[in-house]
Amino acid sequence: ENHQVDTMRKFSMRTVFACAVLLAGAGYLRAAEGDKRTVTVISDSKVRAQPEQASIVMHFTSFGWTVERARRKTDGTVTKFLDKLAKEKVAITSTQWGPAKLKPSYQFNRDLKASVPSDFLVSRQITLELNDFKAVTRIMDISISVGSFILESVTLGVKDKEDLAKKSFNKAFEDARAKADSAAKSAGAAIDTVSSIEELGSELQEPNLIQDTDFAALATAPLKESDGAMREPTDESGEGALALSDDKDKSNDLSSNNWVQHRTRLRVTFTLK
């Protein structure tokens, strides 16, 4: 019996020792994996493309002695404007009518001894979408002759935004790989696999042609001659409208300095070998 007890004790000790060796070995492997060298880089890239389409936001306004009269005048101006676009064969892909907004004007009434509404200003937002961004200048010329309006924005864009974003991401990743490869070589190593990719930023930058520009004032204000005389804005053809030239002069090309851009910023970690 004593011999059997000793044998069992020896077997148990061997088992415990073997388990300890296995656990130690497993811990060593995790440590080895945790000690694997990595390099992390941050890349920032921009991919640009020529604009293909445009979105125009305008506000048409009219005054009236009553709200309904002002609204009818505003909507009549919008209809007249859209009819002119159709007559000039300007291809509009979509037209969105925004809600009518009201702003009363006040005057002091001596009998009531209070300020009361004297007339009303009704404004309505119109958003035009068009695939031919070069038609923007024609739309501006037509709008000048229609009536009172405020031009909020003319935003240039591209048709396939996802493709531009994909190209920007791929460029940022390739830039990150090049940076990591250079850093690894400096340390006497080489990059192996991608450990992680984190997108720090992704932004589509669409130029607005009317940013910080009071285009409505430009459209309605007469221009001064050198002798001080006043004249209406005209182009070389004398048709009474300011227009950009359609020739090949790049200084007058809307797309020459107005690229659509997509920016991507990545943090990428590579393992080293």
Side-chain angles (χ1 to χ4, degrees), residues 35-63:
D35 289 343
K36 196 165 187 178
R37 294 183 300 171
T38 62
V39 58
T40 300
V41 295
I42 294 178
S43 64
D44 195 341
S45 73
K46 282 185 179 181
V47 173
R48 66 178 190 173
Q50 284 195 338
E52 300 171 317
Q53 57 189 17
S55 176
I56 304 175
V57 179
M58 310 174 72
H59 298 265
F60 288 86
T61 61
S62 294
F63 283 96

Side-chain angles (χ1 to χ4, degrees), residues 23-127:
L23 290 174
Y28 173 76
L29 291 175
R30 286 198 297 269
E33 290 178 354
D35 289 343
K36 196 165 187 178
R37 294 183 300 171
T38 62
V39 58
T40 300
V41 295
I42 294 178
S43 64
D44 195 341
S45 73
K46 282 185 179 181
V47 173
R48 66 178 190 173
Q50 284 195 338
E52 300 171 317
Q53 57 189 17
S55 176
I56 304 175
V57 179
M58 310 174 72
H59 298 265
F60 288 86
T61 61
S62 294
F63 283 96
W65 297 113
T66 64
V67 175
E68 181 60 23
R69 180 179 176 82
R71 186 194 63 78
R72 289 200 305 266
K73 289 174 63 178
T74 299
D75 290 350
T77 302
V78 174
T79 302
K80 180 181 177 182
F81 171 65
L82 296 178
D83 288 344
K84 279 197 171 186
L85 292 182
K87 184 178 180 181
E88 295 292 330
K89 298 181 179 180
V90 178
I92 304 297
T93 56
S94 70
T95 304
Q96 300 177 15
W97 291 59
K101 294 188 177 181
L102 174 66
K103 182 179 180 181
S105 298
Y106 293 90
Q107 285 186 351
F108 183 79
N109 188 299
R110 293 183 178 180
D111 296 331
L112 298 177
K113 296 182 179 180
S115 295
V116 297
S118 57
D119 57 5
F120 301 91
L121 174 70
V122 170
S123 174
R124 189 183 293 279
Q125 177 180 297
I126 301 296
T127 302

Side-chain angles (χ1 to χ4, degrees), residues 116-151:
V116 297
S118 57
D119 57 5
F120 301 91
L121 174 70
V122 170
S123 174
R124 189 183 293 279
Q125 177 180 297
I126 301 296
T127 302
L128 304 177
E129 304 286 345
L130 56 152
N131 287 332
D132 183 10
F133 79 94
K134 294 182 180 180
V136 168
T137 54
R138 295 177 60 198
I139 294 175
M140 296 300 97
D141 292 341
I142 293 172
S143 66
I144 291 175
S145 62
V146 171
S148 179
F149 73 96
I150 298 174
L151 186 57

Side-chain angles (χ1 to χ4, degrees), residues 3-273:
H3 178 71
Q4 291 178 351
V5 171
D6 291 339
T7 303
M8 292 179 64
R9 286 178 178 175
K10 291 180 181 180
F11 177 78
S12 299
M13 292 179 63
R14 290 174 181 175
T15 304
V16 172
F17 178 76
C19 291
V21 171
L22 290 174
L23 290 174
Y28 173 76
L29 291 175
R30 286 198 297 269
E33 290 178 354
D35 289 343
K36 196 165 187 178
R37 294 183 300 171
T38 62
V39 58
T40 300
V41 295
I42 294 178
S43 64
D44 195 341
S45 73
K46 282 185 179 181
V47 173
R48 66 178 190 173
Q50 284 195 338
E52 300 171 317
Q53 57 189 17
S55 176
I56 304 175
V57 179
M58 310 174 72
H59 298 265
F60 288 86
T61 61
S62 294
F63 283 96
W65 297 113
T66 64
V67 175
E68 181 60 23
R69 180 179 176 82
R71 186 194 63 78
R72 289 200 305 266
K73 289 174 63 178
T74 299
D75 290 350
T77 302
V78 174
T79 302
K80 180 181 177 182
F81 171 65
L82 296 178
D83 288 344
K84 279 197 171 186
L85 292 182
K87 184 178 180 181
E88 295 292 330
K89 298 181 179 180
V90 178
I92 304 297
T93 56
S94 70
T95 304
Q96 300 177 15
W97 291 59
K101 294 188 177 181
L102 174 66
K103 182 179 180 181
S105 298
Y106 293 90
Q107 285 186 351
F108 183 79
N109 188 299
R110 293 183 178 180
D111 296 331
L112 298 177
K113 296 182 179 180
S115 295
V116 297
S118 57
D119 57 5
F120 301 91
L121 174 70
V122 170
S123 174
R124 189 183 293 279
Q125 177 180 297
I126 301 296
T127 302
L128 304 177
E129 304 286 345
L130 56 152
N131 287 332
D132 183 10
F133 79 94
K134 294 182 180 180
V136 168
T137 54
R138 295 177 60 198
I139 294 175
M140 296 300 97
D141 292 341
I142 293 172
S143 66
I144 291 175
S145 62
V146 171
S148 179
F149 73 96
I150 298 174
L151 186 57
E152 180 178 314
S153 64
V154 177
T155 306
L156 305 183
V158 293
K159 297 176 183 178
D160 196 343
K161 297 179 181 180
E162 292 184 2
D163 180 66
L164 191 63
K166 182 179 179 181
K167 290 178 179 178
S168 178
F169 183 92
N170 291 340
K171 186 176 185 298
F173 179 76
E174 292 302 322
D175 290 348
R177 179 183 289 275
K179 284 184 178 180
D181 185 61
S182 178
K185 288 180 179 179
S186 299
I191 59 174
D192 189 8
T193 59
V194 177
S195 176
S196 66
I197 301 177
E198 181 182 0
E199 190 173 60
L200 302 178
S202 179
E203 179 187 9
L204 179 65
Q205 299 172 342
E206 298 176 305
N208 179 11
L209 299 182
I210 313 301
Q211 189 172 3
D212 300 325
T213 302
D214 189 354
F215 203 89
L218 174 64
T220 57
L223 303 180
K224 285 187 177 182
E225 296 280 16
S226 58
D227 59 0
M230 307 296 287
R231 65 176 179 85
E232 293 298 322
T234 59
D235 58 13
E236 293 181 356
S237 62
E239 295 178 353
L242 290 173
L244 298 182
S245 173
D246 292 331
D247 59 18
K248 296 182 180 180
D249 182 5
K250 292 302 180 181
S251 63
N252 288 329
D253 186 357
L254 288 177
S255 66
S256 60
N257 296 312
N258 292 287
W259 294 88
V260 180
Q261 298 186 106
H262 196 287
R263 178 183 177 184
T264 302
R265 186 175 176 84
L266 299 179
R267 179 189 286 123
V268 186
T269 300
F270 296 88
T271 61
L272 300 179
K273 60 181 179 180

